[in-house]
Amino acid sequence: MRKREVVTGLALVFMVSIALLALTGCGAKPDAVATKLAEAVNVQDLDAALKLFAEGAVVNTGGPAPFSGKEEIQGWLEGMFADNFHLEIEIVEVSGDKVVEQDTMTMDSLSDLGLASLQGTSEITVQDGKITTLNFAFSEESAAELQVALLEASVP
């Protein structure tokens, strides 16, 4: 009788474990993926950064059109690397498969405009350990600073 209770108990533990895995997902936590992306970008590791994105991922940086799919995202990353892009992140919220981070970025083109850094917020969705969407927006202050710097740079 005791053996049957042990087997039943183990079966119950196994079923609960499977249910928890199904609810939480098997992939990496969104904040860990966001951190890995920042680390890969900061050392300009294109392969490591690109591996963090799902095949059909979409990156929206507030430009005229989002970067869709790995080929366009690779071009976006290569452009950032060419501009000596560096990113500091602070995770501010993790909820389910989404992470929100505060970003501080530096790059050569900002320095050329007389800007030390700019800040913004990224909202990243991670499914099965891969980024499916990354949406970035400058803070209001940084957007204004950038606008002024661009206007000043265009005045002869």
Side-chain angles (χ1 to χ4, degrees):
M1 186 75 158
R2 183 81 176 136
K3 183 177 178 183
R4 184 175 181 195
E5 290 171 4
V6 170
V7 170
T8 301
L10 288 174
L12 182 59
V13 168
F14 178 73
M15 289 189 314
V16 169
S17 297
I18 295 298
L20 287 173
L21 280 174
L23 289 173
T24 59
C26 297
K29 293 181 179 183
D31 52 334
V33 174
T35 299
K36 285 181 184 178
L37 178 61
E39 291 168 353
V41 165
N42 288 337
V43 297
Q44 297 190 2
D45 188 338
L46 181 62
D47 290 336
L50 204 54
K51 284 179 185 176
L52 295 169
F53 288 91
E55 285 301 321
V58 176
V59 174
N60 185 354
T61 60
F67 301 95
S68 298
K70 282 203 171 188
E71 187 175 321
E72 288 185 14
I73 291 170
Q74 179 176 340
W76 168 66
L77 289 166
E78 289 171 342
M80 290 192 319
F81 294 166
D83 201 12
N84 200 26
F85 184 89
H86 184 79
L87 179 66
E88 296 295 326
I89 68 168
E90 177 187 345
I91 305 295
V92 294
E93 181 182 347
V94 180
S95 179
D97 61 357
K98 297 184 188 319
V99 62
V100 177
E101 65 184 39
Q102 295 297 316
D103 303 324
T104 300
M105 65 193 71
T106 60
M107 61 188 97
D108 291 345
S109 59
L110 292 179
S111 295
D112 293 346
L113 291 171
L115 298 170
S117 65
L118 291 177
Q119 288 75 41
T121 301
S122 290
E123 296 180 7
I124 301 169
T125 303
V126 177
Q127 295 176 338
D128 297 324
K130 302 283 186 181
I131 298 168
T132 57
T133 60
L134 187 156
N135 294 308
F136 172 80
F138 284 112
S139 68
E140 287 184 26
E141 285 180 11
S142 285
E145 288 177 31
L146 181 59
Q147 236 178 352
V148 168
L150 288 170
L151 285 172
E152 289 175 352
S154 66
V155 175

